[in-house]
Amino acid sequence: MGNLDIHIGEILARNARLYPNDVALIERVPAEGKRREITWKQFDEGVNRFANVLLKKGIKKGDKVIHLMMNSIDWLIAYFGIVRTGAWAVPLNFRFTGNDIKYCCDVAEPQCVIFGEDFIDRIDKIKNDLSTVKHYIFAGKEAPSYAEPFDRLVEKSTSTPPRTEIFLSDPCGLYFTSGTTGQPKPILLTHKNMVCACITENAHHYQRKQDNFILIPPLYHTGSKMHWFGSFIVGGKGTILKGVQPEWVIQAIHEEKATLIFLLV
């Protein structure tokens, strides 16, 4: 199982080769009347561009990148971009306080932080205490003075696939528990763990290429992302719905012809 063929970044590249012009991801923001979609080819190229941004900044295999964003297409582009460099993605709970984020950074010792608009105040308060962080990347409209804009960096980057050798046994993610009964606890996951999740979820839910999976719960959590992995492995479409009002859910199911949805209480 230690070959270079089927890590999760290669699953994405395979989808781009097999279904380049098929829609991969849809993002719906009903509160703003916005809808965005990208194809598998665009998804893969965006991931390559962000991976090359990180590599140019000196991020290398085994480094850690804090990932602190709300659900979006860019969330997934950033996530896959990180793991395609061989670095570890460290997705954090959007409910974490500044102190929680600092604690996770002290444990992970990241070289880079990518964060969204909802987290500016929390990062502002702790950034001077994050001694290992060399780069801040901002996914939003107006980047703070200490951060570089995600969109601009990706736009200027090359879509050439990185040449990093990645094996199934390589780590790809450090996930922190919620911390509801103490400090958040780090859990290390490998590419093999992720591929197994893809296979297991598909076997459990019989996801097919023609399915459309509605994603509502936060992607930082392994549950939401890994349920979608069952569709991802067969090139099935995913719809990211931002907002949980019942009418928005019903509209998304109807308009996107959804066949699968993950709901929580």
Side-chain angles (χ1 to χ4, degrees):
M1 294 291 286
N3 58 52
L4 303 176
D5 294 330
I6 52 171
H7 55 81
I8 59 169
E10 174 55 26
I11 292 173
L12 173 56
R14 183 203 61 182
N15 286 348
R17 292 192 298 269
L18 292 175
Y19 320 114
N21 300 316
D22 289 358
V23 173
L25 296 171
I26 298 161
E27 178 181 317
R28 293 176 64 100
V29 191
E32 300 176 15
K34 293 181 179 178
R35 182 186 183 277
R36 174 191 175 197
E37 64 178 43
I38 61 171
T39 65
W40 285 108
K41 183 174 185 289
Q42 291 169 326
F43 187 6
D44 188 57
E45 288 179 346
V47 167
N48 284 337
R49 290 180 189 279
F50 187 59
N52 287 320
V53 166
L54 295 175
L55 291 169
K56 192 173 181 179
K57 292 185 176 300
I59 302 300
K60 60 187 183 301
K61 190 173 184 178
D63 284 347
K64 292 87 176 177
V65 179
I66 293 289
H67 186 301
L68 191 54
M69 299 167 63
M70 302 300 284
N71 282 13
S72 65
I73 286 175
D74 287 342
W75 196 107
L76 287 168
I77 288 175
Y79 176 85
F80 278 90
I82 294 166
V83 300
R84 193 166 271 180
T85 68
W88 302 9
V90 188
L92 298 185
N93 188 332
F94 70 85
R95 296 184 181 90
F96 279 175
T97 65
N99 287 337
D100 291 329
I101 296 166
K102 181 185 179 304
Y103 170 80
C104 293
C105 288
D106 289 344
V107 173
E109 299 182 333
Q111 285 70 38
C112 179
V113 172
I114 175 168
F115 65 105
E117 293 176 339
D118 299 84
F119 308 98
I120 293 175
D121 290 345
R122 280 172 272 182
I123 297 297
D124 281 350
K125 291 176 183 176
I126 64 172
K127 64 182 177 61
N128 292 335
D129 298 319
L130 305 184
S131 59
T132 65
V133 178
K134 301 180 180 68
H135 308 284
Y136 290 90
I137 298 173
F138 178 72
K141 293 177 182 176
E142 295 184 18
S145 59
Y146 55 88
E148 296 179 89
F150 173 85
D151 287 346
R152 197 174 306 163
L153 290 171
V154 169
E155 183 181 346
K156 293 180 179 179
S157 183
T158 174
S159 62
T160 303
R163 300 176 64 87
T164 307
E165 288 190 342
I166 296 175
F167 297 86
L168 283 177
S169 57
D170 288 335
C172 72
L174 194 66
Y175 285 74
F176 282 84
T177 60
S178 63
T180 51
T181 57
Q183 294 282 24
K185 299 165 185 65
I187 310 296
L188 179 61
L189 297 178
T190 66
H191 281 273
K192 186 174 182 179
N193 291 142
M194 295 300 189
V195 172
C196 285
C198 292
I199 295 168
T200 301
E201 288 296 331
N202 185 270
H204 283 171
H205 303 125
Y206 307 105
Q207 284 130 300
R208 304 160 300 166
K209 171 74 174 71
Q210 59 266 40
D211 280 322
N212 184 357
F213 193 112
I214 301 275
L215 278 159
I216 300 176
L219 285 164
Y220 77 82
H221 193 283
T222 54
S224 180
K225 184 166 70 278
M226 290 186 180
H227 286 319
W228 168 72
F229 271 178
S231 290
F232 169 66
I233 195 173
V234 292
K237 192 184 299 180
T239 297
I240 298 168
L241 177 60
K242 303 182 79 167
V244 295
Q245 291 191 24
E247 61 267 33
W248 293 347
V249 176
I250 298 300
Q251 285 170 357
I253 292 171
H254 173 67
E255 294 175 8
E256 306 299 347
K257 297 178 174 58
T259 54
L260 293 159
I261 189 166
F262 177 35
L263 297 170
L264 292 174
V265 177

